[in-house]
Amino acid sequence: MIIQEPIQAAIWHCLNHYAYSDAIFLAERLCAEFDSDESIFLLATCYYRSGKPSQAYTILSGKKIVSEKCKFLLARCCVDLHKLSEAETVLTGNVGDLISSSSCSSFIETIISDYGDSAPFALQLISHIWWRSERSHLAAEACRKALYLNPFLWQSFQDLCDRGVKPDPEPTKIFKVDNLENFNKCLGSNSHVNSTPLSTYNLSYESVNTFNSSTPAQKMVNMSVPSSNSSISSGIQPFTPDMNNAKAIFVRPIGRKVKVINENAYSPLTPSFGVFPLENSDNLSVCSSQSMVLVPSATLNETNDQKFISKRSSKPVFSQSGNTSNISNLGTQQITMPSSPMSHVVRRSSRIITNNCSVKENTKSPNKKFASPKSATRKIKSGLVPKKSVFADITEKHPKERGVVEVETLTLAQQALNLQKKTTEGLLSLLRDIGIAYLQLSKFNCKKAIQLFQSLPPRQYKTGFVLSMIGKAYCEQSDYLQSIKYFSEVKEHEPYRDTLMELYSTSLWHQQKEVALSALAQHMTALDRNSSSTWCVVGNCFSLQKEHQTAIKYFQRAIQVNPDFPYAYALLGNEYLVTEELEKAITCFQKAVKLDPRHYKSWYGIGAIYQKQERYELAEMHYKRALRINHSSALIMCHIAVVQNSMDKPDQALHTLHIALTLEPKHPMCKYQRAQIYSKLGKLPEALYELEELKEIVPKESLVYFLTGKVHKKLGNIHLALMNFNRATDLDPKGASNQIKEAIDPTNNQSPLDDSDDP
């Protein structure tokens, strides 16, 4: 008969070390002996973590599962396999279609009650299903509740922003420790700080007796923390004594070392997201077992024969300017064990972890041995650990005469709660700042978003996520040179990152940087051939080289890799638009907006198709739909003005262009269109003024010189007209011969004046 717990621990140990085949083999042996939810869950988890959700789905769906964790894993497999309806049925229990706005709150409370600490993740998963099934109001409510329970779920916050739903409450209130109901839902019930039992640190009567009878090198081993292959990482909880009334000095694991944490020696330094010690690494006394014990400095007094070294550090390990108010009171105290091997000498550590109240020291002779405390030699029945014996209070009746250390003890719950709050507040403060910036970017307030991202701490600012967000903001503003600058920094700092590299390739496309775009395509294909971003980059590379059919093939590959990627559909639609396959193009754009209703570039693409078909009213409607999403896009306003001018509404067109140029005073296409309308209305001096400014902005654009020649011809300046015509012909003979047709067409991919967001 196989005992269940050791096999479970062995399976988790294999999983934690990525030995998936071994974990699967052991889990199959366990399932053969125990046909239970726990064994089935372990086997399915092994397959899922090894990248085989289909096998995990088959295992779970073929059994009558009862536990919530099995249901959650089954739902996760269904989502990965695009079985959204079945995933909703697993999570909601066949009542998904009956959930309405009025009953949503009660359903969410049921999820919280059933799934316990996993409730935030279950709500996040059900919100994903509801987003995809176009039940936005239900999905938004689930995201808000998931964030309320666990503000570390950044994806839920990002989903709200990306879908145009205002986070309620604001980021300043979402990412706040005071709003947390239960740390277990954020950190998990198995977190070290939250619930790791102190029995895991081997602080028992057996370790006390061993401590008193061991050599100095062995004494520290008895205080060592379980390594990464212990029951903590495996998910199997060891025996936990009743510690309701126990008091202790809180021990925090760091790697394979032990620290007895002094609260005053730590400070949450904004914008750090942890509690960092303020001592140098060379101040730590490390024994042969690489374990160390730090005792609160405020509670220690140096005695005659015992070597306590107190050091304060003037520099924090992790600090930011303007946040050093608590540093003056910070410090740690260090214990150095005596080097002479006296097995029966009572060490200070022994006195701390026993219930002896005081020990006399002989101040007259340094060679005089200490009296051994009675409690340390008392026999304890094997397997029985009294509640208060390990963590008894230490008192001192005559501290001045006896020179005994007085240790102020705190309850474990108080220590854990204080440390949790300090650590959590630092991370939430950082998430709050990033969340505010991301919210502005999702509203397309790009300038404000850039300022907020750039104001983040230097270490966070130099990360790939922040730099890519800034690059995206510049790309939305059509400032492709700045976008390229920041995306190139992303590639330099984090060459493994593939997120938003499709926008990097789009910026390179607009700047006609063939070499850089080709290098990026080679880098991405070498990095990850199963990423949709990779094939978007490759497609843009061939599009820039005018190999549109090859580009179409790679955009289709991107969609095959990830059918839920709206940007790939938009790029494919644009290529079809270039090759005059309008029906295929509009189908691609419609799929993109179905996946993401706020994908304004696809609405813009549909408008461009209707404009090409001279269905100007429909074109204007779709352009305005795109403008409602990205209200600060001068490019979209410019195309609205072109359509209005085509419908013989020049005054409305001029008004629209005036608003666009207020947003971007040097937008070349807006100025060109305004000059063209002025020329059409006979306002020739105003047209010449716009064109002269355009020559400074785009000095090598042939269409500007061609239109200037036409205006001079109307004014009778034949010599100036011929000079500008010749200049236009020298720059681009084809563009000059086709007159200004390409400038009006928003799908023109030849002219730098057309800096549309889709290549």
Side-chain angles (χ1 to χ4, degrees):
M1 185 66 179
I2 299 176
I3 301 175
Q4 195 167 1
E5 278 77 8
I7 301 299
Q8 290 177 349
I11 293 170
W12 285 111
H13 187 51
C14 291
L15 288 175
N16 291 336
H17 290 82
Y18 319 108
Y20 297 123
S21 59
D22 296 319
I24 291 172
F25 176 79
L26 293 175
E28 289 174 344
R29 308 286 74 73
L30 184 64
C31 282
E33 294 290 335
F34 301 96
D35 189 13
S36 62
D37 270 20
E38 182 66 30
S39 58
I40 293 171
F41 171 76
L42 266 177
L43 180 60
T45 299
C46 293
Y47 275 109
Y48 187 83
R49 290 197 181 186
S50 63
K52 299 177 179 179
S54 181
Q55 287 86 335
Y57 167 79
T58 304
I59 292 169
L60 293 169
S61 60
K63 301 287 184 178
K64 187 178 180 180
I65 56 177
V66 178
S67 65
E68 304 302 334
K69 60 183 179 182
C70 286
K71 293 180 181 179
F72 178 78
L73 180 55
L74 177 58
R76 173 66 68 182
C77 294
C78 291
V79 170
D80 291 351
L81 298 173
H82 305 286
K83 301 175 184 283
L84 299 183
S85 178
E86 187 175 349
E88 183 178 9
T89 301
V90 172
L91 289 173
T92 61
N94 297 320
V95 297
D97 295 334
L98 303 177
I99 300 173
S100 60
S101 300
S102 57
S103 61
C104 182
S105 298
S106 60
F107 169 74
I108 288 176
E109 293 302 323
T110 303
I111 290 287
I112 295 172
S113 175
D114 291 344
Y115 285 87
D117 294 347
S118 301
F121 300 95
L123 289 172
Q124 186 181 57
L125 189 60
I126 194 69
S127 70
H128 173 76
I129 297 170
W130 284 340
W131 287 124
R132 292 291 307 278
S133 57
E134 300 181 7
R135 287 175 283 178
S136 301
H137 58 290
L138 297 179
E141 189 64 29
C143 280
R144 292 191 186 103
K145 193 62 178 180
L147 274 173
Y148 177 75
L149 296 173
N150 187 354
F152 296 143
L153 298 184
W154 173 259
Q155 185 61 50
S156 293
F157 178 82
Q158 187 170 320
D159 286 342
L160 288 173
C161 295
D162 292 344
R163 295 284 178 166
V165 179
K166 182 179 180 181
D168 186 19
E170 293 290 333
T172 54
K173 295 182 180 178
I174 292 175
F175 304 108
K176 196 172 182 181
V177 174
D178 297 341
N179 291 338
L180 294 180
E181 286 185 347
N182 190 343
F183 276 108
N184 286 356
K185 289 184 172 60
C186 301
L187 309 179
S189 58
N190 289 328
S191 67
H192 291 297
V193 177
N194 188 45
S195 65
T196 300
L198 289 188
S199 62
T200 314
Y201 299 94
N202 301 328
L203 294 178
S204 62
Y205 271 117
E206 288 76 9
S207 65
V208 172
N209 293 331
T210 305
F211 192 96
N212 291 332
S213 60
S214 303
T215 63
Q218 292 172 334
K219 295 178 187 292
M220 298 298 286
V221 179
N222 296 326
M223 295 285 290
S224 63
V225 176
S227 61
S228 60
N229 59 356
S230 68
S231 58
I232 294 178
S233 59
S234 67
I236 309 300
Q237 285 282 32
F239 169 73
T240 307
D242 183 6
M243 296 189 298
N244 292 332
N245 300 319
K247 294 184 179 180
I249 300 172
F250 182 72
V251 182
R252 180 184 182 186
I254 298 183
R256 298 194 60 165
K257 302 178 180 180
V258 174
K259 281 192 176 184
V260 180
I261 295 177
N262 173 17
E263 271 190 294
N264 294 328
Y266 288 78
S267 173
L269 300 177
T270 305
S272 70
F273 46 87
V275 180
F276 293 82
L278 300 180
E279 78 277 356
N280 296 324
S281 59
D282 56 355
N283 291 339
L284 301 178
S285 176
V286 183
C287 66
S288 60
S289 65
Q290 295 186 358
S291 300
M292 56 187 171
V293 178
L294 296 184
V295 180
S297 60
T299 64
L300 296 178
N301 294 321
E302 190 172 347
T303 58
N304 295 336
D305 261 351
Q306 310 211 338
K307 302 176 183 179
F308 287 91
I309 304 171
S310 176
K311 293 185 180 181
R312 293 185 184 274
S313 175
S314 59
K315 292 183 179 181
V317 174
F318 191 103
S319 64
Q320 299 295 334
S321 59
N323 191 8
T324 57
S325 59
N326 295 326
I327 292 179
S328 61
N329 295 325
L330 302 177
T332 57
Q333 196 73 12
Q334 186 174 302
I335 297 178
T336 304
M337 301 304 297
S339 59
S340 58
M342 295 183 293
S343 61
H344 59 280
V345 174
V346 180
R347 304 297 181 190
R348 188 175 303 272
S349 300
S350 175
R351 296 204 301 274
I352 290 176
I353 61 174
T354 60
N355 61 356
N356 187 280
C357 294
S358 64
V359 178
K360 292 185 179 181
E361 295 184 46
N362 191 335
T363 58
K364 296 181 180 180
S365 174
N367 297 324
K368 192 80 173 179
K369 297 180 180 179
F370 292 112
S372 180
K374 294 181 180 180
S375 60
T377 59
R378 186 176 55 179
K379 292 184 179 180
I380 301 300
K381 198 168 186 178
S382 177
L384 297 179
V385 181
K387 295 181 180 179
K388 298 185 180 180
S389 59
V390 178
F391 307 105
D393 293 334
I394 299 177
T395 60
E396 175 56 48
K397 297 180 180 179
H398 306 288
K400 293 184 179 180
E401 296 179 2
R402 300 175 184 245
V404 179
V405 177
E406 178 182 359
V407 179
E408 180 183 354
T409 59
L410 297 175
T411 64
L412 181 62
Q414 289 173 337
Q415 286 258 8
L417 183 61
N418 290 339
L419 286 171
Q420 283 176 334
K421 284 188 175 181
K422 287 181 179 180
T423 306
T424 305
E425 178 57 39
L427 176 56
L428 291 180
S429 175
L430 177 63
L431 293 180
R432 186 161 54 244
D433 294 339
I434 297 177
I436 293 172
Y438 191 87
L439 180 60
Q440 294 299 320
L441 180 58
S442 68
K443 294 178 178 179
F444 297 99
N445 297 328
C446 297
K447 293 181 180 179
K448 181 65 175 178
I450 291 170
Q451 293 175 357
L452 291 171
F453 279 121
Q454 290 177 338
S455 66
L456 291 172
R459 289 188 180 181
Q460 295 297 325
Y461 171 74
K462 286 297 182 180
T463 59
F465 172 80
V466 175
L467 292 173
S468 62
M469 289 297 107
I470 298 175
K472 178 182 178 181
Y474 278 116
C475 186
E476 300 292 0
Q477 289 182 309
S478 301
D479 191 346
Y480 299 114
L481 287 176
Q482 285 295 317
S483 180
I484 291 171
K485 171 187 172 183
Y486 282 95
F487 277 120
S488 62
E489 289 187 43
V490 173
K491 184 182 174 184
E492 179 182 353
H493 286 85
E494 298 180 7
Y496 54 85
R497 178 175 288 272
D498 65 342
T499 308
L500 295 183
M501 287 297 105
E502 65 277 3
L503 292 184
Y504 184 20
S505 68
T506 296
S507 298
L508 292 171
W509 188 97
H510 283 295
Q511 293 299 313
Q512 307 289 303
K513 295 184 179 295
E514 293 187 14
V515 176
L517 184 52
S518 178
L520 179 62
Q522 292 179 2
H523 168 75
M524 292 296 295
T525 52
L527 177 66
D528 187 2
R529 300 177 70 89
N530 293 320
S531 170
S532 56
S533 296
T534 297
W535 302 114
C536 287
V537 172
V538 176
N540 276 339
C541 182
F542 282 100
S543 176
L544 182 58
Q545 297 170 8
K546 305 298 183 292
E547 299 182 28
H548 299 297
Q549 293 302 324
T550 306
I552 287 173
K553 181 181 71 172
Y554 284 113
F555 290 141
Q556 289 173 338
R557 172 62 177 160
I559 293 172
Q560 183 181 6
V561 171
N562 183 7
D564 301 331
F565 193 29
Y567 196 75
Y569 286 101
L571 291 174
L572 179 60
N574 188 79
E575 289 302 308
Y576 281 134
L577 188 59
V578 173
T579 58
E580 301 291 333
E581 299 177 77
L582 302 185
E583 292 300 323
K584 291 182 179 180
I586 200 168
T587 300
C588 290
F589 289 132
Q590 287 173 346
K591 286 183 179 179
V593 297
K594 184 177 181 179
L595 288 171
D596 182 7
R598 297 187 76 243
H599 199 265
Y600 75 93
K601 296 176 183 178
S602 296
W603 292 111
Y604 164 85
I606 296 173
I609 292 174
Y610 286 129
Q611 181 181 352
K612 198 175 188 68
Q613 294 174 339
E614 298 184 357
R615 300 164 71 178
Y616 298 121
E617 291 183 357
L618 287 174
E620 183 182 14
M621 182 184 71
H622 284 85
Y623 281 144
K624 287 185 175 180
R625 179 69 182 268
L627 187 63
R628 283 199 298 271
I629 299 169
N630 185 359
H631 54 83
S632 60
S633 174
L635 175 67
I636 298 175
M637 294 182 188
C638 181
H639 286 298
I640 292 174
V642 171
V643 171
Q644 290 171 339
N645 186 40
S646 300
M647 293 189 295
D648 294 326
K649 299 177 181 177
D651 294 335
Q652 290 185 18
L654 286 175
H655 177 70
T656 303
L657 290 171
H658 175 72
I659 297 174
L661 287 170
T662 302
L663 294 172
E664 294 186 35
K666 293 185 178 182
H667 195 283
M669 191 173 181
C670 290
K671 296 186 77 65
Y672 181 86
Q673 294 297 333
R674 188 158 71 173
Q676 188 181 32
I677 294 174
Y678 280 146
S679 176
K680 181 180 178 181
L681 295 176
K683 299 181 179 180
L684 302 182
E686 290 87 344
L688 278 179
Y689 179 78
E690 294 287 350
L691 291 170
E692 291 300 323
E693 286 190 345
L694 261 178
K695 289 180 181 179
E696 297 179 2
I697 299 172
V698 281
K700 295 183 179 181
E701 178 53 52
S702 62
L703 294 174
V704 175
Y705 292 94
F706 189 85
L707 183 56
T708 304
K710 289 183 66 177
V711 173
H712 279 299
K713 182 179 178 181
K714 289 181 180 180
L715 290 173
N717 302 327
I718 304 300
H719 176 70
L720 293 176
L722 290 175
M723 183 180 68
N724 281 278
F725 286 147
N726 289 333
R727 177 61 174 161
T729 304
D730 292 340
L731 290 173
D732 185 4
K734 182 180 178 181
S737 61
N738 289 333
Q739 299 182 1
I740 60 173
K741 180 180 179 181
E742 298 294 333
I744 299 176
D745 186 359
T747 65
N748 171 35
N749 292 314
Q750 308 295 328
S751 172
L753 284 175
D754 179 16
D755 55 349
S756 61
D757 290 84
D758 292 314

